[in-house]
Amino acid sequence: MNCCDGKPVIVLSSGDKLCKSHFTEYFERKVFKTIRKFDLIGKEENLGVALSGVKDSLTVLYTLSKLSKENPKLKINAIAIDEGIRNYRETTLRHAIHFCKKYDIKIDIFSYKEEFGATLDEMLKTLNVKPCTICGVFRRYLLNKKSRELKLTKLATGHNLDDECQSILMNQFRNDLASSARLGPKVGIIQNEKFVQRIKPLYLCTEKEITTYAFLNNLLDNFSECPNAVLSYRAQVRDMLNDMEQKSPGTKYSIVNSFLQILPILKQQFKAESIKSCKKCSEPCANDVCNACIYLDRLKKSI
Ligand code: SF4
Ligand code: ZN
């Protein structure tokens, strides 16, 4: 069904066709409703936004900066990580810096090279690990540490409905319910002063909706995907889910909606898991030594 006489720019999984202005209204309302429904942002926040320079992170920053214009007590600070991925990250970071300059948003950039002594590309030459596994560990580590040092009250990420579906299924396939308990629009199981609360304002937006919104608002660029992405397990699950969604529209919503019903039970079940301080770096972790320090040790030994 068409929304009006305007030219449709998207067909939603419900089958509804929306024109540019109705889709923009629909998308922004959906993001703001998600924020209210899951109580993601308070009246006064020093909010960090993890910015990679690609569409999801630019979309979340763009929509949140609109919210911040209406509410001066909501301060926004972009935080970007330079993993050191040749022929990829330089371009997306340039785009991120340009975007922040245009919208007058403060941006802080931290690099693996400066913080850990090696770029991701250099680490991968030395360690025999899957790129996204090690990249994810260092990225989460740095984002949390730097957000805390910058005194950010929360950290918004560009994770969307597709990402969440993939994570839910990947955890199921690996029999890893403890990791699923940490998912949801508000990341984590228990609050801890060393963890800056991560939130996902695009939680209920599909990849397709975000791409359309980003295109309509000039947030898209001609970026290729991270060269390491194709090697990931996530990419296989993503392709499988896209195939399912094409055959049965609404599959992704069904997965996330049913997951949200069991999420409180999962969080309750894994509540007892304690958070320790890493013996080497004092950052919060589940075991005696955090994964970042374990990888850094392996890196030192193999150089
Ligand atoms: Fe890092 Fe993998 Fe993402 Fe590339 S795709 S930035 S290697 S997590
Ligand atoms: Zn550590």
Side-chain angles (χ1 to χ4, degrees):
M1 199 177 76
N2 284 19
C3 58
C4 63
D5 291 339
K7 189 176 160 217
V9 292
I10 189 169
V11 183
L12 302 178
S13 53
S14 59
D16 289 342
K17 296 175 186 168
L18 301 184
C19 72
K20 180 179 173 179
S21 69
H22 281 116
F23 170 68
T24 303
E25 196 183 316
Y26 157 89
F27 184 87
E28 289 176 359
R29 201 184 296 150
K30 193 176 193 177
V31 176
F32 300 144
K33 210 169 144 188
T34 303
I35 292 170
R36 278 198 307 277
K37 182 175 177 186
F38 298 108
D39 190 22
L40 300 187
I41 298 174
K43 287 198 170 67
E44 198 170 340
E45 301 269 10
N46 188 18
L47 192 63
V49 178
L51 188 64
S52 63
V54 290
K55 67 175 191 319
D56 305 65
S57 67
L58 288 169
T59 299
V60 76
L61 182 56
Y62 185 73
T63 47
L64 291 179
S65 64
K66 279 193 174 190
L67 203 61
S68 135
K69 277 200 191 93
E70 289 164 20
N71 176 11
K73 288 189 175 171
L74 177 61
K75 300 208 167 38
I76 306 269
N77 186 145
I79 171 166
I81 305 293
D82 180 2
E83 303 92 343
I85 305 169
R86 248 168 70 90
N87 299 327
Y88 173 66
R89 189 53 86 210
E90 317 90 304
T91 326
T92 67
L93 279 179
R94 253 201 316 276
H95 194 52
I97 293 165
H98 175 76
F99 180 89
C100 288
K101 209 169 169 189
K102 184 172 169 190
Y103 291 98
D104 196 21
I105 297 166
K106 180 174 172 274
I107 179 167
D108 289 283
I109 303 176
F110 304 96
S111 73
Y112 285 10
K113 183 77 178 175
E114 263 180 43
E115 302 291 332
F116 306 120
T119 64
L120 181 67
D121 290 347
E122 288 165 350
M123 291 177 188
L124 292 173
K125 278 184 197 146
T126 317
L127 296 177
N128 184 21
V129 281
K130 287 215 166 163
C132 297
T133 308
I134 186 169
C135 184
V137 166
F138 284 126
R139 190 178 166 78
R140 278 191 299 276
Y141 178 95
L142 216 47
L143 279 174
N144 186 61
K145 188 173 177 214
K146 296 299 173 185
S147 297
R148 203 180 59 235
E149 287 171 8
L150 288 167
K151 299 199 176 355
L152 302 176
T153 49
K154 284 179 186 140
L155 181 70
T157 64
H159 287 95
N160 60 39
L161 187 101
D162 290 55
D163 299 322
E164 188 78 351
C165 269
Q166 292 154 16
S167 300
I168 294 166
L169 289 193
M170 283 160 67
N171 292 338
Q172 288 290 125
F173 295 161
R174 290 168 168 158
N175 190 21
D176 183 5
L177 279 181
S179 292
S180 282
R182 285 183 223 114
L183 294 175
K186 268 182 165 170
V187 179
I189 303 174
I190 46 173
Q191 299 214 341
N192 179 290
E193 55 178 20
K194 283 200 160 188
F195 274 126
V196 176
Q197 172 77 72
R198 271 183 287 144
I199 55 167
K200 302 172 184 168
L202 306 183
Y203 191 80
L204 297 175
C205 301
T206 63
E207 180 91 30
K208 182 177 168 185
E209 289 170 344
I210 294 169
T211 307
T212 307
Y213 183 84
F215 174 73
L216 295 174
N217 289 283
N218 294 321
L219 305 173
L220 274 188
D221 215 314
N222 293 327
F223 297 138
S224 50
E225 206 177 31
C226 171
N228 299 319
V230 283
L231 305 170
S232 69
Y233 183 45
R234 182 175 286 276
Q236 293 175 46
V237 176
R238 179 192 63 193
D239 293 347
M240 184 196 75
L241 266 168
N242 285 344
D243 188 42
M244 293 291 297
E245 179 71 29
Q246 207 185 5
K247 289 174 186 152
S248 312
T251 297
K252 292 174 187 172
Y253 276 117
S254 300
I255 292 172
V256 167
N257 283 334
S258 58
F259 176 72
L260 281 172
Q261 290 176 46
I262 59 159
L263 187 57
I265 303 167
L266 281 180
K267 291 211 187 272
Q268 189 63 34
Q269 186 177 332
F270 291 95
K271 210 174 172 178
E273 282 193 356
S274 59
I275 296 176
K276 299 179 184 169
S277 279
C278 170
K279 280 183 179 159
K280 288 179 177 267
C281 71
S282 307
E283 283 301 298
C285 63
N287 304 308
D288 289 343
V289 178
C290 76
N291 286 334
C293 283
I294 291 173
Y295 279 127
L296 285 174
D297 258 6
R298 281 177 57 187
L299 210 56
K300 272 182 211 146
K301 281 178 193 150
S302 50
I303 287 174

